[in-house]
mmCIF file of all heavy atoms in Angstrom:
data_model
loop_
_atom_site.group_PDB
_atom_site.id
_atom_site.type_symbol
_atom_site.label_atom_id
_atom_site.label_comp_id
_atom_site.label_asym_id
_atom_site.label_seq_id
_atom_site.Cartn_x
_atom_site.Cartn_y
_atom_site.Cartn_z
ATOM 1 N N MET J 1 20.783 -39.994 41.500
ATOM 2 C CA MET J 1 19.881 -41.136 41.696
ATOM 3 C C MET J 1 20.714 -42.433 41.614
ATOM 4 O O MET J 1 20.434 -43.420 42.351
ATOM 5 C CB MET J 1 18.789 -41.116 40.681
ATOM 6 C CG MET J 1 17.609 -42.050 41.038
ATOM 7 S SD MET J 1 16.626 -41.507 42.496
ATOM 8 C CE MET J 1 15.514 -42.925 42.522
ATOM 9 N N LYS J 2 21.634 -42.439 40.565
ATOM 10 C CA LYS J 2 22.315 -43.657 40.353
ATOM 11 C C LYS J 2 23.331 -43.933 41.507
ATOM 12 O O LYS J 2 23.515 -44.976 41.968
ATOM 13 C CB LYS J 2 23.184 -43.471 39.012
ATOM 14 C CG LYS J 2 23.999 -44.710 38.723
ATOM 15 C CD LYS J 2 24.722 -44.513 37.380
ATOM 16 C CE LYS J 2 25.538 -45.676 37.034
ATOM 17 N NZ LYS J 2 26.372 -45.471 35.797
ATOM 18 N N SER J 3 23.907 -42.811 42.045
ATOM 19 C CA SER J 3 24.853 -42.960 43.170
ATOM 20 C C SER J 3 24.048 -43.461 44.370
ATOM 21 O O SER J 3 24.609 -44.189 45.191
ATOM 22 C CB SER J 3 25.461 -41.652 43.565
ATOM 23 O OG SER J 3 24.613 -40.654 43.828
ATOM 24 N N ILE J 4 22.885 -42.992 44.662
ATOM 25 C CA ILE J 4 22.017 -43.367 45.809
ATOM 26 C C ILE J 4 21.726 -44.901 45.587
ATOM 27 O O ILE J 4 21.871 -45.678 46.484
ATOM 28 C CB ILE J 4 20.674 -42.645 45.851
ATOM 29 C CG1 ILE J 4 21.005 -41.204 46.313
ATOM 30 C CG2 ILE J 4 19.836 -43.272 46.952
ATOM 31 C CD1 ILE J 4 19.835 -40.337 46.239
ATOM 32 N N GLY J 5 21.392 -45.347 44.416
ATOM 33 C CA GLY J 5 21.100 -46.784 44.160
ATOM 34 C C GLY J 5 22.371 -47.639 44.418
ATOM 35 O O GLY J 5 22.363 -48.662 45.016
ATOM 36 N N THR J 6 23.522 -47.058 44.051
ATOM 37 C CA THR J 6 24.740 -47.837 44.171
ATOM 38 C C THR J 6 25.103 -47.988 45.674
ATOM 39 O O THR J 6 25.444 -49.053 46.163
ATOM 40 C CB THR J 6 25.982 -47.130 43.343
ATOM 41 O OG1 THR J 6 25.616 -46.995 42.100
ATOM 42 C CG2 THR J 6 27.242 -47.888 43.612
ATOM 43 N N LEU J 7 24.852 -46.962 46.471
ATOM 44 C CA LEU J 7 25.163 -46.838 47.819
ATOM 45 C C LEU J 7 24.300 -47.919 48.506
ATOM 46 O O LEU J 7 24.717 -48.686 49.475
ATOM 47 C CB LEU J 7 25.078 -45.494 48.435
ATOM 48 C CG LEU J 7 26.053 -44.451 48.070
ATOM 49 C CD1 LEU J 7 25.730 -43.065 48.568
ATOM 50 C CD2 LEU J 7 27.402 -44.887 48.619
ATOM 51 N N LEU J 8 23.023 -47.867 48.143
ATOM 52 C CA LEU J 8 22.096 -48.844 48.736
ATOM 53 C C LEU J 8 22.484 -50.223 48.406
ATOM 54 O O LEU J 8 22.332 -51.049 49.335
ATOM 55 C CB LEU J 8 20.621 -48.548 48.220
ATOM 56 C CG LEU J 8 19.509 -49.442 48.800
ATOM 57 C CD1 LEU J 8 19.422 -49.256 50.178
ATOM 58 C CD2 LEU J 8 18.181 -49.096 48.102
ATOM 59 N N PHE J 9 22.865 -50.466 47.213
ATOM 60 C CA PHE J 9 23.368 -51.856 46.842
ATOM 61 C C PHE J 9 24.520 -52.288 47.760
ATOM 62 O O PHE J 9 24.611 -53.500 48.198
ATOM 63 C CB PHE J 9 23.691 -51.956 45.400
ATOM 64 C CG PHE J 9 24.281 -53.255 44.981
ATOM 65 C CD1 PHE J 9 23.423 -54.300 44.783
ATOM 66 C CD2 PHE J 9 25.660 -53.457 44.778
ATOM 67 C CE1 PHE J 9 24.007 -55.569 44.353
ATOM 68 C CE2 PHE J 9 26.176 -54.543 44.413
ATOM 69 C CZ PHE J 9 25.368 -55.641 44.228
ATOM 70 N N LEU J 10 25.425 -51.325 47.888
ATOM 71 C CA LEU J 10 26.703 -51.679 48.617
ATOM 72 C C LEU J 10 26.374 -51.902 50.051
ATOM 73 O O LEU J 10 26.813 -52.860 50.773
ATOM 74 C CB LEU J 10 27.705 -50.624 48.435
ATOM 75 C CG LEU J 10 28.378 -50.433 47.193
ATOM 76 C CD1 LEU J 10 29.306 -49.101 47.194
ATOM 77 C CD2 LEU J 10 29.220 -51.659 46.883
ATOM 78 N N CYS J 11 25.409 -51.166 50.607
ATOM 79 C CA CYS J 11 24.984 -51.302 52.074
ATOM 80 C C CYS J 11 24.360 -52.688 52.183
ATOM 81 O O CYS J 11 24.621 -53.367 53.244
ATOM 82 C CB CYS J 11 23.987 -50.231 52.403
ATOM 83 S SG CYS J 11 23.404 -50.296 54.079
ATOM 84 N N LEU J 12 23.429 -53.048 51.326
ATOM 85 C CA LEU J 12 22.825 -54.354 51.443
ATOM 86 C C LEU J 12 23.817 -55.456 51.362
ATOM 87 O O LEU J 12 23.658 -56.488 52.021
ATOM 88 C CB LEU J 12 21.696 -54.538 50.377
ATOM 89 C CG LEU J 12 20.452 -53.642 50.581
ATOM 90 C CD1 LEU J 12 19.634 -53.684 49.347
ATOM 91 C CD2 LEU J 12 19.722 -54.017 51.761
ATOM 92 N N ALA J 13 24.787 -55.303 50.419
ATOM 93 C CA ALA J 13 25.769 -56.336 50.251
ATOM 94 C C ALA J 13 26.697 -56.599 51.489
ATOM 95 O O ALA J 13 26.969 -57.569 51.909
ATOM 96 C CB ALA J 13 26.680 -56.018 48.972
ATOM 97 N N LEU J 14 27.065 -55.405 52.024
ATOM 98 C CA LEU J 14 27.885 -55.403 53.249
ATOM 99 C C LEU J 14 27.076 -55.856 54.497
ATOM 100 O O LEU J 14 27.697 -56.665 55.210
ATOM 101 C CB LEU J 14 28.496 -53.973 53.570
ATOM 102 C CG LEU J 14 29.485 -53.467 52.631
ATOM 103 C CD1 LEU J 14 29.739 -52.037 52.892
ATOM 104 C CD2 LEU J 14 30.715 -54.282 52.684
ATOM 105 N N CYS J 15 25.811 -55.461 54.544
ATOM 106 C CA CYS J 15 25.075 -56.024 55.663
ATOM 107 C C CYS J 15 24.877 -57.563 55.569
ATOM 108 O O CYS J 15 24.943 -58.220 56.519
ATOM 109 C CB CYS J 15 23.661 -55.279 55.731
ATOM 110 S SG CYS J 15 23.803 -53.582 56.221
ATOM 111 N N GLY J 16 24.605 -57.988 54.325
ATOM 112 C CA GLY J 16 24.408 -59.456 54.200
ATOM 113 C C GLY J 16 25.682 -60.221 54.410
ATOM 114 O O GLY J 16 25.584 -61.288 55.041
ATOM 115 N N ALA J 17 26.846 -59.556 54.104
ATOM 116 C CA ALA J 17 28.095 -60.291 54.252
ATOM 117 C C ALA J 17 28.381 -60.395 55.868
ATOM 118 O O ALA J 17 28.821 -61.373 56.340
ATOM 119 C CB ALA J 17 29.321 -59.509 53.635
ATOM 120 N N ALA J 18 27.988 -59.286 56.527
ATOM 121 C CA ALA J 18 28.166 -59.203 58.015
ATOM 122 C C ALA J 18 27.314 -60.408 58.662
ATOM 123 O O ALA J 18 27.703 -60.974 59.612
ATOM 124 C CB ALA J 18 27.817 -57.919 58.563
ATOM 125 N N GLN J 19 26.004 -60.516 58.211
ATOM 126 C CA GLN J 19 25.154 -61.464 58.787
ATOM 127 C C GLN J 19 25.510 -62.941 58.319
ATOM 128 O O GLN J 19 25.049 -63.802 58.979
ATOM 129 C CB GLN J 19 23.666 -61.214 58.282
ATOM 130 C CG GLN J 19 23.200 -59.873 58.820
ATOM 131 C CD GLN J 19 21.686 -59.698 58.332
ATOM 132 O OE1 GLN J 19 21.340 -60.093 57.192
ATOM 133 N NE2 GLN J 19 20.999 -58.809 59.005
ATOM 134 N N ASN J 20 26.273 -63.016 57.328
ATOM 135 C CA ASN J 20 26.705 -64.402 56.829
ATOM 136 C C ASN J 20 28.079 -64.935 57.452
ATOM 137 O O ASN J 20 28.744 -65.609 56.893
ATOM 138 C CB ASN J 20 26.683 -64.405 55.364
ATOM 139 C CG ASN J 20 26.646 -65.799 54.883
ATOM 140 O OD1 ASN J 20 26.029 -66.688 55.462
ATOM 141 N ND2 ASN J 20 27.090 -65.986 53.616
ATOM 142 N N LYS J 21 28.379 -64.346 58.761
ATOM 143 C CA LYS J 21 29.596 -64.785 59.430
ATOM 144 C C LYS J 21 29.234 -65.338 60.717
ATOM 145 O O LYS J 21 28.088 -65.022 61.266
ATOM 146 C CB LYS J 21 30.510 -63.520 59.614
ATOM 147 C CG LYS J 21 31.218 -63.102 58.281
ATOM 148 C CD LYS J 21 32.092 -61.976 58.537
ATOM 149 C CE LYS J 21 32.974 -61.462 57.406
ATOM 150 N NZ LYS J 21 33.874 -62.542 56.870
ATOM 151 N N VAL J 22 30.078 -66.225 61.210
ATOM 152 C CA VAL J 22 29.745 -66.890 62.479
ATOM 153 C C VAL J 22 30.673 -66.393 63.566
ATOM 154 O O VAL J 22 30.749 -66.945 64.677
ATOM 155 C CB VAL J 22 29.962 -68.457 62.305
ATOM 156 C CG1 VAL J 22 28.753 -68.969 61.623
ATOM 157 C CG2 VAL J 22 31.177 -68.818 61.766
ATOM 158 N N VAL J 23 31.398 -65.298 63.362
ATOM 159 C CA VAL J 23 32.209 -64.630 64.355
ATOM 160 C C VAL J 23 31.470 -64.212 65.539
ATOM 161 O O VAL J 23 30.368 -63.690 65.430
ATOM 162 C CB VAL J 23 32.993 -63.546 63.758
ATOM 163 C CG1 VAL J 23 33.796 -62.801 64.890
ATOM 164 C CG2 VAL J 23 33.971 -63.886 62.638
ATOM 165 N N GLY J 24 31.956 -64.516 66.757
ATOM 166 C CA GLY J 24 31.287 -64.016 68.009
ATOM 167 C C GLY J 24 31.230 -64.948 69.044
ATOM 168 O O GLY J 24 31.833 -66.032 68.968
ATOM 169 N N TYR J 25 30.446 -64.558 70.135
ATOM 170 C CA TYR J 25 30.252 -65.332 71.384
ATOM 171 C C TYR J 25 28.884 -65.847 71.374
ATOM 172 O O TYR J 25 27.837 -65.135 71.162
ATOM 173 C CB TYR J 25 30.465 -64.355 72.508
ATOM 174 C CG TYR J 25 30.116 -65.075 73.779
ATOM 175 C CD1 TYR J 25 31.100 -65.811 74.500
ATOM 176 C CD2 TYR J 25 28.868 -64.775 74.402
ATOM 177 C CE1 TYR J 25 30.771 -66.516 75.733
ATOM 178 C CE2 TYR J 25 28.509 -65.564 75.582
ATOM 179 C CZ TYR J 25 29.403 -66.329 76.323
ATOM 180 O OH TYR J 25 29.160 -66.957 77.511
#
């Protein structure tokens, strides 16, 4: 359960970081 929570947290963090970039066309 702890590992699932950790993975979810990392996923949200990475998704947020990706959305917080202006790279692109």
Side-chain angles (χ1 to χ4, degrees):
M1 191 72 181
K2 182 178 180 182
S3 60
I4 294 176
T6 303
L7 288 173
L8 180 60
F9 174 79
L10 289 174
C11 179
L12 291 173
L14 290 171
C15 291
Q19 291 179 336
N20 203 22
K21 288 181 177 292
V22 288
V23 174
Y25 172 85

